[in-house]
Amino acid sequence: MDRHDATPDNSNGGITPFTFSGPALAECRELMTHYPGEFSKSALIPILHIAQADNDGWLSVPAMDAVANLLGIQYIEVYEVATFYSMFHLEPVGKHVLDVCETAPCMLRGSDDLIEHIEKRLGIKAGQTTPDGMFTLRAVQCLGSCGGAPMLQCGAKYHEHLTIEKVDQLIEQLRGKETRTNYTDHIDTPAENGTTASA
Ligand code: FES
């Protein structure tokens, strides 16, 4: 067995096959030129990011299968990477995913209070998505920006040295944003309290 069955839980209702949009496929093909022939698997992570952004922010089984077919690799090779990294979502998520680091350095600088505040403000618990589909809140492990503690990641951007006020500002900014926040976003101008994620 090397392929998951598509079910309603993992594949946009279980009936919708995933196909890359034209621009996403062009971006994938350009990326693959950097990893020719037997090295195609090295493009897996960036192509998973593109597929995720192209599938409303999450990786369904058909989306992962399409990545495997595109790269000419085994389905299991895609599943094992997609299930390892927290930046890949295996179920639908909100338009903006707030990943708040809760590891010791951030915890000592108040991440627990931030998580509690966001939970109250959004009316959800960590791990949940708001009913309007705008926000998913997650408590995650160290994101490698301990010097900016406490911090959270939203898409490609790190928001560091957070306070309750900064978190409130960020939530309001995101509420007014029409497009989904993706890990593939290109950030030309860092926000006042944000830096580009290295992951
Ligand atoms: S402990 Fe939070 S980024 Fe490292």
Side-chain angles (χ1 to χ4, degrees), residues 130-143:
T130 54
D132 62 2
M134 280 295 282
F135 294 97
T136 294
L137 172 64
R138 303 192 309 170
V140 300
Q141 296 306 304
C142 180
L143 290 167

Side-chain angles (χ1 to χ4, degrees), residues 101-107 141-147 149-151:
C101 174
E102 63 170 356
T103 303
C106 281
M107 188 260 290
Q141 296 306 304
C142 180
L143 290 167
S145 184
C146 320
M151 59 81 66

Side-chain angles (χ1 to χ4, degrees), residues 37 58 83 93 103 171 174:
W58 70 291
T83 55
V93 290
T103 303
I171 289 173
L174 293 172

Side-chain angles (χ1 to χ4, degrees), residues 174-185:
L174 293 172
R175 271 194 208 289
K177 185 169 176 275
E178 288 183 7
T179 53
R180 172 177 294 283
T181 303
N182 289 309
Y183 295 93
T184 49
D185 291 346

